[in-house]
């Protein structure tokens, strides 16, 4: 994922989120539920109930950016137990986006059908 600002922190919001929410709704979660500064250079990662979509919200000094990913066949290995927010390393975010379980590290693999 290319960004204009290097994140100082990556926060994974463990609770499921209604994905009708966009920048404004997700910003309210960060400010009100997590009590964090939405204008920091942090990334905030959210997942839907089915765990097949995620959104990443961040402030890039000129405005908010929202990144969205949908899996076609599998589900994200979303950590459910623990605190409401989990700090991720850059590597853990890469694992999550690649389909790995960031706790157990099991990869997802897809193969194109032959025509």
């Amino acid at each position: 994922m290319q960004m204009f600002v290097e994140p100082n922190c990556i926060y994974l919001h463990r609770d499921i989120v209604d994905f009708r929410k966009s920048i404004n709704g997700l910003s309210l979660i960060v400010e009100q539920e997590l009590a964090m500064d939405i204008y920091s250079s942090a990334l905030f990662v959210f997942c839907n109930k089915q765990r097949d979509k995620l959104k990443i919200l961040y402030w890039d000094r000129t405005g908010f950016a929202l990144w969205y990913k949908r899996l076609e066949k599998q589900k994200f290995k979303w950590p459910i137990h623990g605190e409401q927010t989990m700090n991720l390393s850059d590597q853990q975010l890469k694992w999550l986006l690649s389909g790995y379980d960031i706790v157990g590290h099991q990869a997802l693999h897809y193969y194109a059908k032959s025509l």
Side-chain angles (χ1 to χ4, degrees):
M1 172 172 49
Q2 292 291 330
M3 291 178 288
F4 298 106
V5 176
E6 286 294 319
N8 60 2
C9 292
I10 303 168
Y11 299 106
L12 181 140
H13 180 65
R14 288 184 198 255
D15 294 343
I16 58 171
V17 172
D18 178 352
F19 260 40
R20 293 176 290 185
K21 293 183 187 298
S22 192
I23 290 172
N24 292 343
L26 296 174
S27 296
L28 284 174
I29 291 173
V30 171
E31 291 181 331
Q32 294 177 357
E33 290 182 29
L34 304 180
M36 294 185 173
D37 180 12
I38 192 64
Y39 296 101
S40 69
S41 59
L43 300 181
F44 299 94
V45 185
F46 303 92
C47 195
N48 68 334
K49 184 176 182 177
Q50 294 79 18
R51 295 189 339 256
D52 63 343
K53 300 174 185 82
L54 62 75
K55 290 183 179 180
I56 300 175
L57 176 68
Y58 60 97
W59 173 257
D60 76 353
R61 295 188 191 148
T62 60
F64 287 103
L66 185 62
W67 194 83
Y68 179 87
K69 181 167 182 173
R70 179 183 74 195
L71 292 178
E72 294 300 321
K73 296 182 181 179
Q74 296 288 331
K75 296 185 182 296
F76 286 104
K77 309 294 187 207
W78 201 255
I80 298 170
H81 304 292
E83 297 293 319
Q84 184 178 22
T85 305
M86 177 180 177
N87 290 333
L88 298 181
S89 67
D90 292 339
Q91 184 62 54
Q92 286 175 310
L93 179 60
K94 289 176 187 173
W95 286 335
L96 180 67
L97 294 174
S98 297
Y100 286 91
D101 182 341
I102 58 176
V103 178
H105 314 302
Q106 296 178 3
L108 299 176
H109 296 284
Y110 297 106
Y111 300 98
K113 289 183 179 181
S114 299
L115 297 177

